[in-house]
Amino acid sequence: MTPKSFWLIAIRLLAIYIILVSIMSIPQWFSLITFGYTSPNQQESLLLGIIIFCLVAIFYIIVIRYCLFKTEYIIDKLKLDHNFEEERFELNIPHTAILKIAIIVIGAFLFIDNFPLLFKEVLLYIQVQPLYSGVFKNPQTGRVVLYLLKTLIGYFMFTDSKIIVNFLERKKQQSD
């Protein structure tokens, strides 16, 4: 493994982590935007919330795009592969295998972290359901959906990591 391939893997793993963090922060942004309706300056705070959300979303998209698909550009501009004493590291594992292992580990952590929370929220949903006349009037519905999605994303990453690695490799080859 060369220093460049090491940095390719490290930056792509960082991008996958950033994607997960950004997905997990979406409900917080919705609560920030809807908070604008309850504040004294409703229109101003709602507009400010939407502007901040758009700026953060654009920042995330740019960082993810460069980290996933223009990784070599980052390595060249930051000169990450320079000043190494050795040209090659003694690690004879293909970078796709390391990427696959990392995706499996991230998916497993995501699944393990959210699976119990899903059951907790479903139980709370069932307990408070008689108080509400509809599914969407129950305040627990959003949390059940959130933890269900997080659990399913973790399960997908854990079981189908090859699809994600193939997608990343195909995008890398298209950008080269």
PDB file of all heavy atoms in Angstrom, residues 1-4 81 84-89:
ATOM      1  N   MET A   1       0.848  -1.165   0.000  1.00  0.00           N
ATOM      2  CA  MET A   1       0.000   0.000   0.000  1.00  0.00           C
ATOM      3  C   MET A   1       0.898   1.235   0.000  1.00  0.00           C
ATOM      4  O   MET A   1       1.810   1.353   0.794  1.00  0.00           O
ATOM      5  CB  MET A   1      -0.900  -0.018   1.243  1.00  0.00           C
ATOM      6  CG  MET A   1      -1.683   1.244   1.442  1.00  0.00           C
ATOM      7  SD  MET A   1      -2.699   1.256   2.914  1.00  0.00           S
ATOM      8  CE  MET A   1      -4.062   0.300   2.369  1.00  0.00           C
ATOM      9  N   THR A   2       0.594   2.142  -0.867  1.00  0.00           N
ATOM     10  CA  THR A   2       1.351   3.385  -0.946  1.00  0.00           C
ATOM     11  C   THR A   2       0.712   4.439  -0.045  1.00  0.00           C
ATOM     12  O   THR A   2      -0.444   4.294   0.356  1.00  0.00           O
ATOM     13  CB  THR A   2       1.385   3.895  -2.398  1.00  0.00           C
ATOM     14  OG1 THR A   2       0.047   4.202  -2.793  1.00  0.00           O
ATOM     15  CG2 THR A   2       1.978   2.855  -3.345  1.00  0.00           C
ATOM     16  N   PRO A   3       1.450   5.494   0.262  1.00  0.00           N
ATOM     17  CA  PRO A   3       0.852   6.565   1.060  1.00  0.00           C
ATOM     18  C   PRO A   3      -0.392   7.166   0.398  1.00  0.00           C
ATOM     19  O   PRO A   3      -1.361   7.507   1.064  1.00  0.00           O
ATOM     20  CB  PRO A   3       1.965   7.602   1.169  1.00  0.00           C
ATOM     21  CG  PRO A   3       3.222   6.816   1.026  1.00  0.00           C
ATOM     22  CD  PRO A   3       2.887   5.697   0.078  1.00  0.00           C
ATOM     23  N   LYS A   4      -0.382   7.237  -0.920  1.00  0.00           N
ATOM     24  CA  LYS A   4      -1.533   7.797  -1.631  1.00  0.00           C
ATOM     25  C   LYS A   4      -2.759   6.913  -1.463  1.00  0.00           C
ATOM     26  O   LYS A   4      -3.863   7.420  -1.221  1.00  0.00           O
ATOM     27  CB  LYS A   4      -1.203   7.977  -3.117  1.00  0.00           C
ATOM     28  CG  LYS A   4      -2.262   8.722  -3.871  1.00  0.00           C
ATOM     29  CD  LYS A   4      -1.783   9.104  -5.246  1.00  0.00           C
ATOM     30  CE  LYS A   4      -2.763  10.052  -5.874  1.00  0.00           C
ATOM     31  NZ  LYS A   4      -2.220  10.707  -7.044  1.00  0.00           N
ATOM     32  N   ASP A  81       0.683  12.844   0.314  1.00  0.00           N
ATOM     33  CA  ASP A  81       1.511  11.674   0.029  1.00  0.00           C
ATOM     34  C   ASP A  81       2.999  12.023  -0.097  1.00  0.00           C
ATOM     35  O   ASP A  81       3.812  11.171  -0.437  1.00  0.00           O
ATOM     36  CB  ASP A  81       1.021  10.965  -1.233  1.00  0.00           C
ATOM     37  CG  ASP A  81       1.013  11.856  -2.453  1.00  0.00           C
ATOM     38  OD1 ASP A  81       1.075  13.084  -2.289  1.00  0.00           O
ATOM     39  OD2 ASP A  81       0.926  11.316  -3.568  1.00  0.00           O
ATOM     40  N   PHE A  84       7.185  11.004   2.893  1.00  0.00           N
ATOM     41  CA  PHE A  84       7.169   9.704   3.558  1.00  0.00           C
ATOM     42  C   PHE A  84       8.531   9.058   3.337  1.00  0.00           C
ATOM     43  O   PHE A  84       9.089   9.117   2.243  1.00  0.00           O
ATOM     44  CB  PHE A  84       6.064   8.800   2.991  1.00  0.00           C
ATOM     45  CG  PHE A  84       4.723   9.079   3.573  1.00  0.00           C
ATOM     46  CD1 PHE A  84       3.862   9.996   3.000  1.00  0.00           C
ATOM     47  CD2 PHE A  84       4.309   8.420   4.720  1.00  0.00           C
ATOM     48  CE1 PHE A  84       2.624  10.254   3.533  1.00  0.00           C
ATOM     49  CE2 PHE A  84       3.067   8.672   5.265  1.00  0.00           C
ATOM     50  CZ  PHE A  84       2.218   9.590   4.672  1.00  0.00           C
ATOM     51  N   GLU A  85       9.043   8.422   4.372  1.00  0.00           N
ATOM     52  CA  GLU A  85      10.354   7.782   4.259  1.00  0.00           C
ATOM     53  C   GLU A  85      10.306   6.564   3.351  1.00  0.00           C
ATOM     54  O   GLU A  85      11.243   6.298   2.619  1.00  0.00           O
ATOM     55  CB  GLU A  85      10.859   7.392   5.647  1.00  0.00           C
ATOM     56  CG  GLU A  85      11.178   8.588   6.518  1.00  0.00           C
ATOM     57  CD  GLU A  85      11.624   8.179   7.906  1.00  0.00           C
ATOM     58  OE1 GLU A  85      11.892   6.977   8.126  1.00  0.00           O
ATOM     59  OE2 GLU A  85      11.705   9.063   8.766  1.00  0.00           O
ATOM     60  N   GLU A  86       9.226   5.827   3.409  1.00  0.00           N
ATOM     61  CA  GLU A  86       9.091   4.630   2.589  1.00  0.00           C
ATOM     62  C   GLU A  86       8.033   4.866   1.521  1.00  0.00           C
ATOM     63  O   GLU A  86       7.028   5.517   1.751  1.00  0.00           O
ATOM     64  CB  GLU A  86       8.690   3.437   3.457  1.00  0.00           C
ATOM     65  CG  GLU A  86       9.742   3.073   4.487  1.00  0.00           C
ATOM     66  CD  GLU A  86       9.335   1.857   5.288  1.00  0.00           C
ATOM     67  OE1 GLU A  86       8.564   1.040   4.774  1.00  0.00           O
ATOM     68  OE2 GLU A  86       9.800   1.738   6.422  1.00  0.00           O
ATOM     69  N   GLU A  87       8.273   4.302   0.337  1.00  0.00           N
ATOM     70  CA  GLU A  87       7.329   4.429  -0.763  1.00  0.00           C
ATOM     71  C   GLU A  87       6.118   3.514  -0.585  1.00  0.00           C
ATOM     72  O   GLU A  87       5.046   3.824  -1.062  1.00  0.00           O
ATOM     73  CB  GLU A  87       8.003   4.081  -2.099  1.00  0.00           C
ATOM     74  CG  GLU A  87       8.724   5.209  -2.759  1.00  0.00           C
ATOM     75  CD  GLU A  87       7.843   6.412  -3.041  1.00  0.00           C
ATOM     76  OE1 GLU A  87       6.790   6.258  -3.697  1.00  0.00           O
ATOM     77  OE2 GLU A  87       8.203   7.509  -2.600  1.00  0.00           O
ATOM     78  N   ARG A  88       6.330   2.388   0.063  1.00  0.00           N
ATOM     79  CA  ARG A  88       5.242   1.415   0.199  1.00  0.00           C
ATOM     80  C   ARG A  88       5.142   0.966   1.651  1.00  0.00           C
ATOM     81  O   ARG A  88       6.137   0.793   2.330  1.00  0.00           O
ATOM     82  CB  ARG A  88       5.478   0.192  -0.678  1.00  0.00           C
ATOM     83  CG  ARG A  88       5.520   0.528  -2.163  1.00  0.00           C
ATOM     84  CD  ARG A  88       5.506  -0.702  -3.036  1.00  0.00           C
ATOM     85  NE  ARG A  88       4.335  -1.538  -2.903  1.00  0.00           N
ATOM     86  CZ  ARG A  88       3.149  -1.308  -3.461  1.00  0.00           C
ATOM     87  NH1 ARG A  88       2.973  -0.219  -4.159  1.00  0.00           N
ATOM     88  NH2 ARG A  88       2.163  -2.153  -3.333  1.00  0.00           N
ATOM     89  N   PHE A  89       3.908   0.758   2.077  1.00  0.00           N
ATOM     90  CA  PHE A  89       3.648   0.152   3.383  1.00  0.00           C
ATOM     91  C   PHE A  89       3.450  -1.335   3.162  1.00  0.00           C
ATOM     92  O   PHE A  89       2.939  -1.755   2.128  1.00  0.00           O
ATOM     93  CB  PHE A  89       2.382   0.725   4.028  1.00  0.00           C
ATOM     94  CG  PHE A  89       2.423   2.201   4.250  1.00  0.00           C
ATOM     95  CD1 PHE A  89       1.357   2.995   3.880  1.00  0.00           C
ATOM     96  CD2 PHE A  89       3.511   2.813   4.845  1.00  0.00           C
ATOM     97  CE1 PHE A  89       1.364   4.349   4.095  1.00  0.00           C
ATOM     98  CE2 PHE A  89       3.531   4.173   5.059  1.00  0.00           C
ATOM     99  CZ  PHE A  89       2.462   4.947   4.687  1.00  0.00           C
TER     100      PHE A  89
END
